[in-house]
Structure formats: structure tokens, C-alpha cells
């Protein structure tokens, strides 16, 4: 199995990624929602020295939230990352938050079909770590054979 190192830091200077981070994980977007309180948890793949897994959490008092005024904020990772690494990363994040006195962690996953493989892994691992669903939302996904613009009135 490949080697990874996990890190915790205040959100700041971005590093090189093995995947394209979503808009909701861009520093510009996060700092629009709150200019302080963001912690960045990430894993570097030793072979590439690039970020292979990442999670931003806003920590306030004894609570950590992955999204503030945004549709979602969840773990993002390289498509070839092994499930064992994802689980170890979640354990690392939880351990660091507990050590900081955080007692409530809220991670808001993106809609299932954005990345169904990763969502399945995350939901299973979070359940196994003792997390539960607090608020399930129905997503809106449009399946069509014609371009979106053709369907507008």
C-alpha cells in the first residue's frame, strides 16, 4: 500500500492537488462565507507530494461543520485513492477534532450522483465510525436527451 501523510492546518496557501477541487472547497468561496475559523485536513501521497484527499471544516466553539451557507462540503479525493486511506483519513480528522475539544461534527455530502463510488464509501465509513444522518435532502438531478437550453421557456 502506498504511503500517505495526514496534516491539519489553518486554511491558507493551496498546495498541488491530484484532483480538481470543487468550487465549495476553493479558498475564495470559503472565505466569502467566513474569513476565520477554517481548518484544512489533507493527505499527501508520498510518491507525488500532492494532495490526494482533502476536507475543510469550519470550527467554532465545540462544533465543526463542512459547509456554511453552501449546498455541501465533503471529503474530496483522487479517484484512485484506496478505501483504507479514506477510512484512515476520517479517523485522523476525528482524532484531531476530539483533541481540540470538538464534540459535534457535521459533514454535508454532495448529491449521490456527483460521485456515487466515493459517496458510498463515505456513508459506510461514517456510519461505521458512529455518525448518523441528521438531515437528508432530496437532490434535484435532471436527466435529458436534449441540451438544457432547449428545454427553457
Amino acid at each position: 500500500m502506498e504511503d500517505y501523510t495526514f496534516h491539519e492546518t489553518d486554511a491558507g496557501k493551496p498546495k498541488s492537488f491530484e484532483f480538481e477541487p470543487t468550487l465549495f472547497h476553493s479558498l475564495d468561496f470559503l472565505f466569502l462565507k467566513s474569513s476565520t475559523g477554517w481548518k484544512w485536513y489533507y493527505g499527501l501521497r508520498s510518491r507525488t507530494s500532492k494532495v490526494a484527499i482533502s476536507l475543510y471544516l469550519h470550527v467554532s466553539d465545540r462544533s465543526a461543520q463542512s459547509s456554511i451557507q453552501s449546498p455541501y462540503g465533503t471529503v474530496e479525493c483522487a479517484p484512485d485513492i484506496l478505501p483504507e486511506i479514506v477510512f484512515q483519513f476520517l479517523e485522523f480528522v476525528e482524532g484531531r477534532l476530539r483533541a481540540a475539544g470538538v464534540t459535534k461534527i457535521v459533514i454535508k455530502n454532495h448529491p449521490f450522483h456527483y460521485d456515487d463510488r466515493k459517496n458510498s464509501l463515505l456513508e459506510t465509513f461514517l456510519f461505521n465510525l458512529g455518525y448518523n444522518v441528521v438531515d437528508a435532502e432530496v437532490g434535484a438531478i435532471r436527466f435529458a436527451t436534449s441540451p438544457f437550453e432547449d428545454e427553457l421557456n
Side-chain angles (χ1 to χ4, degrees), residues 74-77 110 115-123:
T74 190
V75 174
E76 295 186 329
C77 59
H110 51 60
D115 189 343
D116 53 353
R117 177 189 167 270
K118 187 185 72 165
N119 268 354
S120 294
L121 280 176
L122 281 176
E123 289 170 7

Side-chain angles (χ1 to χ4, degrees), residues 8 39 41 59 61-63 93-103:
E8 172 192 28
K39 289 288 188 183
Y41 301 89
V59 180
D61 298 322
R62 300 175 70 97
S63 177
V93 171
E94 183 177 20
R96 300 296 296 175
L97 290 168
R98 285 188 194 274
V102 170
T103 58

Side-chain angles (χ1 to χ4, degrees), residues 44-109:
L44 292 178
R45 191 184 313 236
S46 298
R47 177 176 47 87
T48 64
S49 297
K50 292 183 178 182
V51 174
I53 189 166
S54 173
L55 175 64
Y56 287 96
L57 292 170
H58 188 268
V59 180
S60 179
D61 298 322
R62 300 175 70 97
S63 177
Q65 291 184 263
S66 68
S67 63
I68 296 179
Q69 301 173 358
S70 60
Y72 63 84
T74 190
V75 174
E76 295 186 329
C77 59
D80 65 339
I81 198 162
L82 296 173
E84 296 87 12
I85 302 304
V86 175
F87 189 78
Q88 291 170 9
F89 177 73
L90 291 171
E91 289 181 313
F92 168 79
V93 171
E94 183 177 20
R96 300 296 296 175
L97 290 168
R98 285 188 194 274
V102 170
T103 58
K104 179 180 179 182
I105 303 170
V106 178
I107 298 174
K108 189 171 183 183
N109 276 346

Side-chain angles (χ1 to χ4, degrees), residues 71 108-114 133 135-142:
K108 189 171 183 183
N109 276 346
H110 51 60
F112 183 79
H113 288 292
Y114 279 26
V133 175
D135 184 20
E137 297 177 7
V138 176
I141 298 179
R142 179 183 179 274

